[in-house]
Amino acid sequence: NATTPISIMGLMPLSQSEEDQKSKIGRGVLPAVQLAMDQIRNESLLNPYFLDLRLYDTECDNAKGLKAFYDAIKYGPNHLMVFGGVCATVTSIIAESLKGWNLVQLSFAATTPELADKKKYPYFFRTVPSDNAVNPAILKLLKYYQWKRVGTLTQDVQRFSEVRNDLTGVLYGEDIEISDTESFSNDPCTSVKKLKGNDVRIILGQFDEEMAVKVFCCAYDEEMYGSKYQWIIPGWYENLWWESWINSSQCLSKNLLAAMEGYIGVDFEPLSSKMIKTISGRTPQQYEKEYNAKRGDGQSSKFHGYAYDGIWVIAKTLQRAMKYLNATNKHQKIEDFNYTNHKLGKIFLDAMNETNFFGVTGQVVFRNGERMGTIKFTQFQGRKEVKVGEYNAVADTLEIINNSIRFQGLEPPKDKTIIQEELRKISLPLYSILSALTILGMIMASAFLFFNIKNRNQKLIKMSSPYMNNLIILGGMLSYASIFLFGLDGSFVSEKTFETLCTVRTWILTVGYTTAFGAMFAKTWRVHAIFKNVKMKKKIIKDQKLLVIVGGMLLIDLCILICWQVVDPLRRTVEKYNMEPDPAGRDISIRPILEHCENTHMTIWLGIVYAYKGLLMLFGCFLAWETRNVSIPALNDSKYIGMSVYNVGIMCIIGAAVSFLTRDQPNVQFCIVALVIIFCSTITLCLVFVPKLITLRTNPDAATQNRRFQFTQNQKKEDSKTSTSVTSVNQASTSRLEGLQSENHRLRMKITELDKDLEEVTMQLQDTPEKTTYIKQNHYQDLNDILSIRNFTDSKDGEKAILKNHLDQNPPAQWGSSDPSRTSKDPIEDINSPEHIQRRLSLQLPILHHAYLPSIGGVDASCASPCVSPSASPRHRHVPPSFRVMVSGL
């Protein structure tokens, strides 16, 4: 019954060239258009009208396209609408001029995003989603897999750049970061390398098939494929598209396929997959069968469904316009339309905007002239693309087909390298082993402390300053204790506690070092002060003075540490190192972090501390060198001090250097620091106390006895040289005098131990007249010699030389012998009378004891027998012990 045609202008490329892809689209949609028009006419949808589609070949050429359009307007009937528009350039030019002709255009294949500008193209509609329609679908996919960091790779073509720009706007404000945006013209490898350098894992690509082959070849070379990467590219490529371009690349086919494996393509859905009857009464599947039967062996196009729905859109629009005209103006009909009839043109435009039905491509709805269609997701699996999901733009929903999408890893790729910060901590077994060694060292130090306290009254220990020994042990134990603190890191304590430990362990180690070596050097200084000051007759340096010296050293330490703490305190800092692959093979990277104790001017403060400790070590070395010839082992530790300083210095230098080089290896660093502290503390304590312990157990008196200066031998050696000249004689005399002075000073330390015994001897001499008579009768000459020796030690250098010559000419008589000259009557007899001797004994013995007894070979009260020569007279042997001491000494 439909007898009146309604002309529709059909614009599409219809060239028969097999190489013209756009022409293939035009020829491929004609069977679908014919099916739709036949069905509409059969259903009398527009009765009494029927659609009359007039086709005009635009050939995708701007000039030919415009000519075809104007020829249709000038020579053809009044066309109510324009159907078609495949080529973007031709379509955009025609669409921009439609407003002047009051024509509504409906395209089924123009996907360029530029046509979405309604201000510029107000009368343009399309049943196919634009290229930008995939961006909301991509956003939904990113949110589905919680990918919040992506990168874009775009070919420098306007079509792709527009999609990229729209995608940027879609992702903006959605908490998804575009970390890198790269574009290329011909060689994408540089851009791919930059994406990898910026750690981009999710790549959104916009490029054609030819460039896609190059992109995936570069991705293979850069190893940007596999379980760690996900490529999302356009899904509108032809089937087996890579085979057409593989020969133009330098990539092997297997490498290309390996890089392509798993990529996701995004494109509009050609036909709905739902088994629902459409507006034509057929399901999409039934329509597809009819379309394939209609075209036979002819060209196929993926746009045929949109062309089919487009004819139905035009029919439904005209139907609504007819109903509107019948309801509002019964005198005007749609066939009255002409290109100057703005009113009818506006009615057609409004009717088109109201389109809403289910077609073979899904729900057909326009929003600002843009089709709200269905977007499909496909994945490249085993050399073919498999549909894995679809996005419904109308409902804004994403549906992923169960178990269809396959990632090459156990889970979806991460949107970036997951950096898991891992604190490099000290191994618990290592800490336990070193702590055990430290405990053993502290037990050893405690044993030395017990030994020192228990034997503090023994001469060997008493002469070695037990209080200073205690300080050495205390310093060693403090150094040991610092090891426990150096091993505590973030795995054992909190950040705040760790920051406190930074200060505490520095203080403990610094104070411990100064306490131990300060006490050792103070002892050595006392020996140096006594034996190197040759003009000093007697000087007592008590332990209290040594404690003051050590306290002064500690005070300097405290001043430095307090200033350090107040001005620039130590803080907890975290040092991050380069990322490392996960040992377990997970898709994460391990970034080791390490805690340090640092401050702003760390180098300056360490320099101050090292300088002070270095000066202290140099001072100790100087004292040890100066006192190297002191021959009393109980007093002189110079050899052991030198060994300690040497070992400690070498170990500290090596330990500091290796510790600095192993900053990123806390186990190695802690092991080195701990072993250096243990070695230095242990070797110092052992060198100080082990010789004393051995000596005390084997020969307790040997260490306190004087190793008499061998000047007799030196005198003989030097006397052999006196025959040459008088100068040699003077040099020999000077050498012997220096020997006597050195011997004299070495024996002064024994004075304090003999005070009590000699005072008792003095009292016995005053209380026993028979012993005094014995001395009067038999030893007045020896006592006179003693007084002469007193004059010798108190005289000046010239007098000493005279006395030396006198003694060389008149050597003293041996015990038990008589000197006839003593019986002669001379003026000196009155001086040696018994009365004078008695007076001198009562006045001079205490003086002799305090000042000169050691210098003439006296012995202490512990001597059990007279220290006389075997030729001494037997009558001396029955003298009481206390008196024998004095006699033998004299």
Side-chain angles (χ1 to χ4, degrees), residues 777-819:
Q777 298 174 355
N778 299 285
H779 302 291
Y780 63 91
Q781 183 60 42
D782 296 312
L783 292 175
N784 187 49
D785 293 340
I786 292 173
L787 296 179
S788 299
I789 293 174
R790 177 186 183 277
N791 294 330
F792 163 73
T793 58
D794 288 338
S795 63
K796 297 183 179 179
D797 295 341
E799 296 171 338
K800 291 176 183 177
I802 297 172
L803 180 58
K804 177 185 69 64
N805 295 331
H806 172 73
L807 292 176
D808 292 340
Q809 296 174 3
N810 301 292
Q814 298 293 329
W815 289 100
S817 62
S818 61
D819 187 356

Side-chain angles (χ1 to χ4, degrees), residues 698-871:
T698 57
N699 190 7
D701 293 331
T704 59
Q705 292 177 359
N706 173 34
R707 297 175 184 173
R708 187 172 300 276
F709 185 80
Q710 302 294 330
F711 91 27
T712 304
Q713 183 177 359
N714 293 339
Q715 180 182 357
K716 291 180 180 180
K717 292 180 180 179
E718 294 181 1
D719 285 346
S720 62
K721 303 176 184 179
T722 58
S723 58
T724 59
S725 64
V726 176
T727 303
S728 300
V729 174
N730 292 335
Q731 292 176 352
S733 301
T734 303
S735 175
R736 286 195 297 273
L737 181 59
E738 290 177 354
L740 288 173
Q741 290 174 344
S742 176
E743 180 71 12
N744 186 16
H745 286 292
R746 279 196 293 269
L747 295 175
R748 285 176 179 172
M749 292 300 296
K750 297 175 65 176
I751 294 175
T752 56
E753 296 184 17
L754 301 175
D755 284 344
K756 184 176 179 180
D757 294 339
L758 293 179
E759 288 174 2
E760 293 178 359
V761 172
T762 303
M763 296 301 297
Q764 291 175 2
L765 289 174
Q766 293 176 352
D767 295 339
T768 54
E770 67 276 10
K771 296 173 183 174
T772 303
T773 305
Y774 179 81
I775 293 175
K776 293 178 191 177
Q777 298 174 355
N778 299 285
H779 302 291
Y780 63 91
Q781 183 60 42
D782 296 312
L783 292 175
N784 187 49
D785 293 340
I786 292 173
L787 296 179
S788 299
I789 293 174
R790 177 186 183 277
N791 294 330
F792 163 73
T793 58
D794 288 338
S795 63
K796 297 183 179 179
D797 295 341
E799 296 171 338
K800 291 176 183 177
I802 297 172
L803 180 58
K804 177 185 69 64
N805 295 331
H806 172 73
L807 292 176
D808 292 340
Q809 296 174 3
N810 301 292
Q814 298 293 329
W815 289 100
S817 62
S818 61
D819 187 356
S821 64
R822 294 186 181 181
T823 59
S824 62
K825 300 298 181 178
D826 54 17
I828 201 170
E829 184 177 5
D830 295 336
I831 297 175
N832 293 330
S833 63
E835 291 79 4
H836 286 79
I837 292 175
Q838 175 66 27
R839 181 180 301 173
R840 285 198 298 271
L841 282 174
S842 63
L843 295 176
Q844 299 293 342
L845 282 175
I847 298 174
L848 290 172
H849 152 61
H850 286 292
Y852 305 106
L853 185 59
S855 51
I856 57 173
V859 298
D860 55 30
S862 64
C863 187
S865 61
C867 300
V868 295
S869 63
S871 62

Side-chain angles (χ1 to χ4, degrees), residues 212-275:
V213 172
K214 295 182 179 181
V215 166
F216 283 110
C217 285
C218 296
Y220 181 85
D221 294 337
E222 297 295 332
E223 297 183 350
M224 288 185 66
Y225 66 95
S227 61
K228 295 182 179 181
Y229 295 91
Q230 183 60 61
W231 288 84
I232 301 175
I233 63 175
W236 44 260
Y237 300 160
E238 295 291 334
N239 190 31
L240 302 177
W241 55 269
W242 64 89
E243 293 181 354
S244 302
W245 303 100
I246 185 66
N247 294 329
S248 63
S249 68
Q250 299 179 353
C251 188
L252 296 177
S253 178
K254 63 176 182 179
N255 297 341
L256 177 63
L257 293 174
M260 290 168 53
E261 184 68 25
Y263 79 74
I264 294 176
V266 187
D267 192 18
F268 55 82
E269 183 74 273
L271 290 176
S272 176
S273 59
K274 295 181 179 180
M275 304 291 292

